[in-house]
Amino acid sequence: MLRLGTREFGTHEPVIMAIVNRTPDSFYDQGATFRDEPALARVEQAVAEGAAIIDIGGVKAGPGDEVTAEEEARRTVGFVAEVRRRFPEVVISVDTWRADVGAAVCEAGADLLNDAWGGVDPGLAEVAARYGVGLVCTHAGGAEPRTRPHRVTYDDVMADILRVTVGLAERALSLGVPRESIMIDPGHDFGKNTRHSLEATRRLGEMVSTGWPVLVSLSNKDFVGETLDKPVKERVVGTLATTAVSAWLGAQVYRVHEVAETRQVLDMVASIAGHRAPAVARRGLA
């Protein structure tokens, strides 16, 4: 059972986490949801299309202008509070690596801290424990926040992913983060080249076998673009193919831009796997 905020999700229940970037320089939408009203409209649409989690980020993952903790908090804290007021049932996640920002958004109503940079600030897990919220434990290959990998190597990339993410999850548990609210994430593209991310996908079942719920953040990433030689705006098909493979291998939570399309892929895979009945079954029965 995965428990986040007021929501509980069964073992075979796929969960969509919709991305809402409060940044003026997002790699995907170039700031489309930087202002409050477009961002709130995005939340409303994502929830209507089937997202159970809204992931709010105040700093783009890639290199760019410096964003201080104060500025990150300014972009996210008030917005978290407003989303909490308007959408009381939705699970609110905040994508941050900073403990002080994590504490501020938890005070505002966040249910989950999405630590995409692999525990670079150990205090973030302590914040999650203090507030009783969930935590995403990600493999980033030891990279510093907002840096790109350069000639990174692993003897065995999945072995390193398992060592880091399970270690972070066990530390979080020892600090008091609820076990049912901890997830592990292989960190596609983070501290990895394209071949590493493809191998992490191919071997995702090894993460699932640990017993920790697995979150994947695949949406329109560079490893999809390089695999197919496609620019950012032409990576949806590759993303959905990777989503289907990840679902078949047992990932549970999907951080995405395209909510409606992802919902259809996850429902189809769940039905093929026998975990979901068809929405309609008339063929050959009339």
Side-chain angles (χ1 to χ4, degrees):
M1 180 68 69
L2 176 64
R3 185 176 291 113
L4 301 169
T6 62
R7 303 286 297 273
E8 293 185 351
F9 306 96
T11 303
H12 297 297
E13 182 178 356
V15 182
I16 294 178
M17 170 189 275
I19 300 165
V20 179
N21 287 316
R22 304 308 317 281
T23 60
D25 51 358
S26 165
F27 91 97
Y28 184 69
D29 60 26
Q30 291 80 50
T33 53
F34 184 48
R35 294 185 299 108
D36 287 351
E37 287 311 312
L40 288 166
R42 160 69 174 161
V43 173
E44 184 173 15
Q45 178 186 11
V47 171
E49 291 177 345
I53 307 172
I54 300 297
D55 190 50
I56 299 164
V59 185
K60 68 178 279 189
D65 295 339
E66 180 186 2
V67 180
T68 64
E70 292 75 18
E71 174 60 17
E72 183 184 0
R74 188 190 70 78
R75 295 175 179 183
T76 56
V77 174
F79 188 70
V80 166
E82 185 61 15
V83 173
R84 177 83 295 146
R85 186 183 72 82
R86 295 196 189 193
F87 305 92
E89 301 302 318
V90 78
V91 177
I92 299 176
S93 169
V94 176
D95 181 352
T96 186
W97 74 87
R98 292 166 164 150
D100 49 356
V101 175
V105 296
C106 286
E107 288 283 351
D111 305 299
L112 175 65
L113 297 174
N114 182 11
D115 181 8
W117 289 102
V120 68
D121 184 346
L124 191 63
E126 296 168 11
V127 169
R130 185 161 73 246
Y131 286 91
V133 302
L135 183 69
V136 179
C137 301
T138 307
H139 179 272
E144 288 296 313
R146 308 193 67 195
T147 61
R148 298 195 188 281
H150 179 68
R151 299 189 184 280
V152 62
T153 60
Y154 299 95
D155 291 334
D156 182 328
V157 67
M158 182 50 74
D160 204 71
I161 289 170
L162 292 171
R163 177 184 63 80
V164 170
T165 58
V166 171
L168 290 170
E170 290 176 345
R171 175 177 181 266
L173 182 63
S174 73
L175 291 169
V177 180
R179 193 193 196 289
E180 64 273 17
S181 302
I182 299 171
M183 291 172 277
I184 59 174
D185 177 355
H188 289 80
D189 275 1
F190 281 59
K192 299 170 189 68
N193 61 32
T194 290
R195 288 184 175 86
H196 294 143
S197 292
L198 291 171
E199 183 172 351
T201 305
R202 187 163 58 247
R203 297 173 62 186
L204 202 64
E206 295 176 44
M207 294 189 74
V208 175
S209 293
T210 66
W212 296 101
V214 175
L215 179 151
V216 288
S217 183
L218 311 168
S219 196
N220 302 295
K221 283 194 168 179
D222 285 348
F223 82 96
V224 175
E226 288 194 354
T227 298
L228 302 176
D229 193 18
K230 295 292 184 183
V232 170
K233 293 297 183 179
E234 297 178 23
R235 297 176 183 176
V236 175
V237 173
T239 296
L240 295 176
T242 313
T243 298
V245 170
S246 300
W248 187 257
L249 292 174
Q252 184 167 14
V253 182
Y254 301 81
R255 183 178 180 272
V256 305
H257 296 98
E258 287 81 20
V259 175
E261 294 88 342
T262 303
R263 181 78 271 162
Q264 289 188 49
V265 169
L266 295 178
D267 285 350
M268 193 70 200
V269 174
S271 295
I272 294 169
H275 303 314
R276 172 187 178 274
V280 178
R282 292 188 293 259
R283 182 175 174 82
L285 301 176

